[in-house]
Amino acid sequence: MELSQPAPLARIIYIAGKLLEWITVFLMIFLTAIVTAAVIARLAGHSFSWYDEVAAIMLAWITYYGSALAALKRRHIGFDTVLLKLPLKYRMAALLAGEAIVLTFFVLMARAGFQVLEVLQGDMLVSLTWVPIQFTQSVIPIGAILFIICQLLSLPGYWKLTAAGISIEHAEIEEEVETELEKNKDRV
């Protein structure tokens, strides 16, 4: 179930979602190509000195950008079943408290990420000495800021669904079950 949003906000969310999807897919393809090339090189008797370091960095980047995408679509682990059992007034207060905690965490993470970048100024990767570590670690504050933006963009729709007592998780499961039943009705 998609979060219902006002038209201008829905357009921004759509564009942000597509951009994050493309970035994440590109990073996954790039990581796959690196791993495949490293395996082939190793089988041929040659090993890339930079493979482990770059693959670990790529995996971290995929995690941060994918996390922002998950925040935009409200696909992170949640407890909306518990939340929806609360009376409306407490439910909405709990939603606000949860959002405040998450946003505070990511603000602190972005701040710490910028501090890390200051500390790493002038350092380079071990295996690729021309690549600044600041570049590779820039994903920390960038990912945190993207997460904050995505969380805030998706909040109005999530607020409406929660106020209406609708579970994102249950609605998706029911929709999938109906789709599968419809696809397989002729098989029975």
Side-chain angles (χ1 to χ4, degrees):
M1 165 177 262
E2 290 297 316
L3 301 174
S4 62
Q5 307 283 6
L9 185 58
R11 182 80 178 139
I12 293 169
I13 290 171
Y14 175 80
I15 292 168
K18 287 298 177 191
L19 183 62
L20 286 170
E21 284 175 13
W22 278 103
I23 290 170
T24 305
V25 167
F26 171 76
L27 291 171
M28 291 172 70
I29 291 169
F30 191 58
L31 177 61
T32 302
I34 288 172
V35 170
T36 303
V39 168
I40 292 169
R42 192 166 287 163
L43 290 173
H46 306 288
S47 188
F48 299 138
S49 62
W50 50 266
Y51 159 73
D52 290 336
E53 195 171 25
V54 173
I57 291 164
M58 295 303 303
L59 189 57
W61 283 23
I62 290 167
T63 302
Y64 278 92
Y65 285 100
S67 174
L69 179 59
L72 186 65
K73 297 181 177 276
R74 292 285 168 160
R75 298 295 193 264
H76 282 285
I77 295 173
F79 301 99
D80 66 348
T81 301
V82 174
L83 188 65
L84 295 176
K85 294 291 183 192
L86 296 172
L88 181 62
K89 181 170 108 176
Y90 297 115
R91 178 185 325 153
M92 302 318 285
L95 185 147
L96 284 177
E99 292 296 309
I101 290 167
V102 168
L103 292 172
T104 300
F105 173 81
F106 280 98
V107 166
L108 294 173
M109 187 171 137
R111 183 171 173 245
F114 284 119
Q115 291 172 340
V116 164
L117 293 181
E118 286 179 29
V119 170
L120 295 174
Q121 187 171 12
D123 289 347
M124 303 296 188
L125 290 182
V126 173
S127 60
L128 297 174
T129 56
W130 53 272
V131 177
I133 291 181
Q134 280 186 315
F135 170 71
T136 65
Q137 298 306 308
S138 66
V139 75
I140 298 169
I142 292 170
I145 291 167
L146 283 173
F147 195 100
I148 292 166
I149 292 167
C150 290
Q151 193 79 1
L152 291 173
L153 284 173
S154 64
L155 181 58
Y158 184 59
W159 178 272
K160 284 181 190 175
L161 289 175
T162 303
I166 299 170
S167 166
I168 295 174
E169 297 164 8
H170 293 172
E172 287 176 356
I173 292 168
E174 289 172 11
E175 195 173 296
E176 283 295 319
V177 167
E178 287 177 24
T179 302
E180 288 300 316
L181 288 174
E182 187 65 31
K183 282 182 4 186
N184 296 316
K185 70 179 179 184
D186 296 333
R187 290 185 181 181
V188 178

